Amino acid sequence: MTGAETAVVARLSRLDRWLPVWIGVAMAAGLLLGRAVPGLAGALDAVRVGGLSLPIAAGLLIMMYPVLAKVRYDRLDTVTADRRLLVSSLVLNWVAGPALMVALAWLFLPDQPEYRTGLIIVGLARCIAMVIIWNDLACGDREAAAVLVALNSVFQLLAFGLLGWFYLSVLPGWLGFAGAALEVSGWAIAGNVLIFLGIPLAAGYLTRVLGERAKGRDWYESRLLPAIGPAALYGLLFTIVVLFALQGDAILGRPWDVARIALPLLAYFAIMWAGSYLLGRAIGLTYARTTTLAFTAAGNNFELAIAVAIGTFGLTSGQALAGVVGPLIEVPVLVALVYVSLWARRRFFPTDPTTVTRGSR
């Protein structure tokens, strides 16, 4: 590691620097809790919000709130004026991403229609939650992340059901295979977006407006944000523990199936992130916006994917298992890509002003 790279890592908090370790511990703790405490999974899943268990929903909201409180909302116009960024994000999320997941699902799982369908649902559900964390850890553009997540949420309302019908019903018919019906309510998707994006976005916006009005921006960013910032990673770790506790039996009971589902997911996250990163650099985006473009394109809305898979095909279905494996692979892979992004910043954006100014969070 060079001196410049060491400096990048040094500017991260201790919690951030050791995040892969904490995530590994959280995964193991969730699996152990799920196996050691009888009835824990049922208790955690007893109350559901937006198709997810209440503890997971609470963890996601806690995770997203501090990062959205960091966004400078008075700078959003600089993002909405960047047509290269907006158009690239829409194409990556609603053309390239779903098509790539469909291709990989058919390539890796030609004999497993249930798992294949579950992966396609994951590919159709564009990210609105955890991407906020990965983008912030990689020193991406917070304002751009807020805009792109909101933009893709609107398109999710319009395109999720239509693309699901095409890729799961129409396309298999063209190829001579039996299709699968995807019945999903537009209101269900709207509720999911409202809960997991609308609530923390409104809370973050009000916190900044009221905090700056009462004490000023300097106090807000030097005193309040450092105080609430760690809650984002605590929420992430809590969510991982609960998720693994809920799905431990499925993961440990069908390890070969999990491995088969994991392979196309690994390929998907790597290809989408790398391709989006290269595209951002090719069209002249800054490091911060290139990073934001890459993470918003590579991440997926697992809360929506799991809810749709369980609601349509049942809790014990292969589609639901594929949806559950999605975040279990996405979390460690995108954490690794955070460090790849920090390494690539010095290599590919040496003269970018954000390489210096966005170093600390």
Side-chain angles (χ1 to χ4, degrees), residues 31 35 109 112-116 118 246-263 309-310 313-325 328-329:
L31 289 175
R35 301 286 286 186
L109 299 168
Q112 296 288 341
E114 289 191 0
Y115 296 157
R116 189 172 63 238
L246 279 169
Q247 304 300 335
D249 287 340
I251 297 165
L252 298 176
R254 289 188 273 179
W256 173 243
D257 289 353
V258 170
R260 289 199 63 185
I261 296 168
L263 286 175
I310 291 175
F313 302 102
L315 182 62
T316 60
S317 65
Q319 292 89 339
L321 178 62
V324 167
V325 173
L328 306 188
I329 302 302

Side-chain angles (χ1 to χ4, degrees), residues 120-140:
I120 291 172
I121 293 173
V122 171
L124 295 176
R126 312 313 298 169
C127 195
I128 66 171
M130 283 191 177
V131 69
I132 299 289
I133 289 287
W134 314 137
N135 178 74
D136 205 50
L137 288 171
C139 300

Side-chain angles (χ1 to χ4, degrees), residues 63-140:
M63 178 184 73
M64 292 182 67
Y65 161 67
V67 182
L68 289 170
K70 294 177 182 179
V71 172
R72 291 184 174 179
Y73 292 93
D74 56 350
R75 295 184 179 178
L76 294 185
D77 58 336
T78 65
V79 180
T80 56
D82 191 341
R83 293 187 178 180
R84 295 172 303 170
L85 177 67
L86 300 182
V87 172
S88 297
S89 179
L90 291 176
V91 171
L92 287 168
N93 274 282
W94 297 106
V95 179
L100 176 62
M101 186 67 90
V102 169
L104 291 171
W106 279 92
L107 178 64
F108 283 90
L109 299 168
D111 59 333
Q112 296 288 341
E114 289 191 0
Y115 296 157
R116 189 172 63 238
T117 297
L119 283 181
I120 291 172
I121 293 173
V122 171
L124 295 176
R126 312 313 298 169
C127 195
I128 66 171
M130 283 191 177
V131 69
I132 299 289
I133 289 287
W134 314 137
N135 178 74
D136 205 50
L137 288 171
C139 300

Side-chain angles (χ1 to χ4, degrees), residues 3-23:
E5 290 158 17
T6 302
V8 169
V9 175
R11 282 194 292 265
L12 297 174
S13 69
R14 180 177 299 177
L15 181 62
D16 292 349
R17 288 199 300 270
W18 290 91
L19 185 59
V21 175
W22 308 140
I23 285 180

